[in-house]
Amino acid sequence: MGPTAILTGASSGIGAAAAAQFVEQGFTVINVSRRDCPVAGVETYSTDLADDTSAKQTCSVLASRLRDAEGPVCLVHNASLMLKDRCDTTEDADLLRVLAVNVIGINVLNRTLLPLMPKGSSVLYVGSTLSEKAVAGAYSYIVSKHAQLGMMRATCQDLMGREIHTALICPGFTDTSMLRQHVGHDEGILSSLGEMNSFGRLVAPGEIADLILWAHHHPVINGSVMHGNLGQVEH
Ligand SMILES: NC(=O)c1ccc[n+]([C@@H]2O[C@H](COP(=O)([O-])OP(=O)(O)OC[C@H]3O[C@@H](n4cnc5c(N)ncnc54)[C@H](OP(=O)(O)O)[C@@H]3O)[C@@H](O)[C@H]2O)c1
């Protein structure tokens, strides 16, 4: 049996680009999200990670799959919910909704799948520039992205000796629906965000997918934070 890639949020953007590359490399590729993955050959387990029952049902089916599989697994925690909110007005229910997708969903998958993953596997977190810094107006997302940094570091320590590696891949401004929605589809803002790095453009989803694939194939980076942002201008 060959390698398996399990990606959350491969219905669009970075996840879909990574799914396409895993397919090209001969992996069995499974997407976990509400919508189907547009890439031919990818199987979608329709899941709302904000819904505990839905997440647990999917995990139980994935666990049966992994028990029958023999090859290494690349588990990519990529799905995220981003709200526009602030530290002084966010309702608990909104913070919980973001944490459900961006943190608890990861925990359910880890708890179910990590015990079944053989050596040579990897668990990769797609964080953000906002895993290590903050900007105004994205409070719950920033809280969750910092939590993912902690989860990745704890994963490295807790899996010591199992020959399963981990990393946090932190995209900068990447041209996906999440970014477009966040800026209200304003081309002027998108272009000015693109100018905030050394290359004067947005990162392409495929460039982050390249990093994800590379990270899976290079266990030496175990425990690392990898930024993919074309060199952001610091203020
Ligand atoms: N784009 C950027 O500028 C940027 C920058 C830094 C970090 N990132 C990170 O990159 C990752 C991928 O985002 P993207 O930019 O590629 O955005 P995207 O195209 O909007 O993709 C987001 C994915 O998350 C999934 N998702 C959201 N809520 C979900 C839920 N409740 N249950 C299951 N899946 C859910 C979506 O699937 P469904 O809607 O089908 O459920 C979708 O596939 C995220 O972790 C994001 O934080 C992006």
Side-chain angles (χ1 to χ4, degrees):
M1 193 85 180
T4 301
I6 300 171
L7 303 100
T8 64
S11 59
S12 68
I14 291 165
Q21 293 197 16
F22 279 115
V23 168
E24 271 173 31
Q25 291 197 4
F27 284 65
T28 298
V29 184
I30 296 169
N31 166 45
V32 175
S33 66
R34 293 165 298 186
R35 293 168 294 158
D36 283 348
C37 176
V39 179
V42 177
E43 193 178 347
T44 292
Y45 288 4
S46 179
T47 311
D48 183 353
L49 289 170
D51 174 353
D52 187 54
T53 307
S54 171
K56 283 182 177 155
Q57 272 170 359
T58 293
C59 280
S60 133
V61 184
L62 283 171
S64 312
R65 283 279 295 252
L66 287 198
R67 276 188 208 100
D68 294 337
E70 280 166 17
V73 177
C74 178
L75 173 60
V76 185
H77 296 300
N78 167 73
S80 266
L81 172 63
M82 183 181 204
L83 302 180
K84 286 186 185 178
D85 53 17
R86 298 175 46 87
C87 71
D88 47 3
T89 52
T90 297
E91 296 293 340
D92 296 343
D94 289 330
L95 179 57
L96 280 169
R97 195 155 55 96
V98 171
L99 293 178
V101 178
N102 300 6
V103 178
I104 305 300
I106 291 175
N107 191 55
V108 176
L109 282 157
N110 279 349
R111 187 177 64 240
T112 317
L113 302 184
L114 291 183
L116 302 169
M117 287 165 54
K119 68 180 181 183
S121 296
S122 67
V123 50
L124 305 176
Y125 297 81
V126 179
S128 167
T129 307
L130 299 178
S131 292
E132 293 196 311
K133 63 187 274 188
V135 294
Y139 171 71
S140 53
Y141 180 79
I142 291 166
V143 169
S144 72
K145 288 294 170 184
H146 276 64
Q148 291 175 357
L149 170 60
M151 293 174 98
M152 185 281 291
R153 287 186 168 144
T155 300
C156 176
Q157 295 305 311
D158 287 342
L159 300 187
M160 205 54 70
R162 282 196 52 198
E163 297 185 35
I164 295 175
H165 68 282
T166 186
L168 180 79
I169 290 142
C170 296
F173 295 117
T174 307
D175 193 358
T176 69
S177 57
M178 180 177 291
L179 183 66
R180 287 180 172 271
Q181 270 169 26
H182 194 69
V183 303
H185 299 274
D186 184 320
E187 291 296 333
I189 298 177
L190 286 168
S191 152
S192 63
L193 293 177
E195 281 156 20
M196 287 172 65
N197 65 55
S198 178
F199 290 74
R201 64 171 175 81
L202 296 173
V203 177
E207 292 180 295
I208 303 301
D210 289 343
L211 271 183
I212 292 170
L213 272 282
W214 187 91
H216 172 68
H217 290 300
H218 292 84
V220 70
I221 59 158
N222 193 14
S224 296
V225 178
M226 299 169 63
H227 286 276
N229 60 32
L230 295 167
Q232 281 186 353
V233 178
E234 295 296 340
H235 296 285

